[in-house]
Amino acid sequence: LPQIPSTFLCARFMDHPSVGRRAAITIMFGVVGACLFVGALYKPVAIAASMVGTFCATGAFNIVYVQVPELYPTAVRNTALGICFSFSRITSILASVLPSILGPTATLILIAAVCLAAAVCSLSVPETVGNGLPDRLPGAAPPAALEQSGGPSLLALSSLRDEVQPSGREKM
């Protein structure tokens, strides 16, 4: 139930100029961690805490989907996003086994600690709202500068690729 309004409200929240993506994701991860702690330690409010936590977890996931591609340049964007989401899928598989090993309360406390750590770590991520997508790695020379300095150009590299053929094949 809370996922649908979370998607719409978090989109507005993370794009607001006075909030931004970094503050939005920090708040979302922090609230998820707090709700998990409260739900694990105080059973009477567990349902309400889980509803608020689900709202914020959905928001955090949506913000990650927007912010991670904005952090990496075009050359590594798909790989970086794939690594991030592969890691999230692996940890979700591991999280499903944890209650049988640690017990439900300890599992919630562990996941809450990880969410709070993510909130603290997200403070070090640069703000990306209003910035365009980066085309190259920071500190890398633009392609025009490489061509002027005598470095490899894309045209030179493509012609080199056409000349090199795997053994056993003739160039047509």
Side-chain angles (χ1 to χ4, degrees), residues 2 31-57 108:
V31 172
V32 170
C35 287
L36 286 170
F37 269 126
V38 168
L41 300 177
Y42 304 107
K43 300 297 183 206
V45 296
I47 293 176
S50 70
M51 296 295 272
V52 173
T54 301
F55 178 90
C56 290
L108 288 174

Side-chain angles (χ1 to χ4, degrees), residues 61 64-65 68-69 80-90:
F61 194 74
V64 167
Y65 254 115
V68 169
L81 193 62
I83 289 171
C84 290
F85 287 112
S86 295
F87 185 73
S88 74
R89 301 299 185 217
I90 291 168

Side-chain angles (χ1 to χ4, degrees), residues 161-172:
R161 181 197 67 211
D162 292 338
E163 291 175 14
V164 176
Q165 295 292 322
S167 62
R169 291 188 153 182
E170 294 182 24
K171 189 173 180 180
M172 292 186 188

Side-chain angles (χ1 to χ4, degrees), residues 26-140:
T26 302
I27 291 167
M28 294 296 165
F29 276 132
V31 172
V32 170
C35 287
L36 286 170
F37 269 126
V38 168
L41 300 177
Y42 304 107
K43 300 297 183 206
V45 296
I47 293 176
S50 70
M51 296 295 272
V52 173
T54 301
F55 178 90
C56 290
T58 302
F61 194 74
N62 290 335
I63 295 168
V64 167
Y65 254 115
V66 172
Q67 190 175 27
V68 169
E70 293 176 342
L71 293 173
Y72 297 102
T74 304
V76 295
R77 186 173 298 131
N78 290 335
T79 303
L81 193 62
I83 289 171
C84 290
F85 287 112
S86 295
F87 185 73
S88 74
R89 301 299 185 217
I90 291 168
T91 55
S92 67
I93 292 169
L94 294 175
S96 66
V97 180
L98 283 178
S100 63
I101 298 169
L102 301 175
T105 303
T107 300
L108 288 174
I109 292 172
L110 176 66
I111 295 171
V114 170
C115 286
L116 292 175
V120 170
C121 289
S122 66
L123 291 172
S124 66
V125 174
E127 181 58 61
T128 60
V129 71
N131 297 342
L133 294 175
D135 287 334
R136 56 188 164 85
L137 293 169

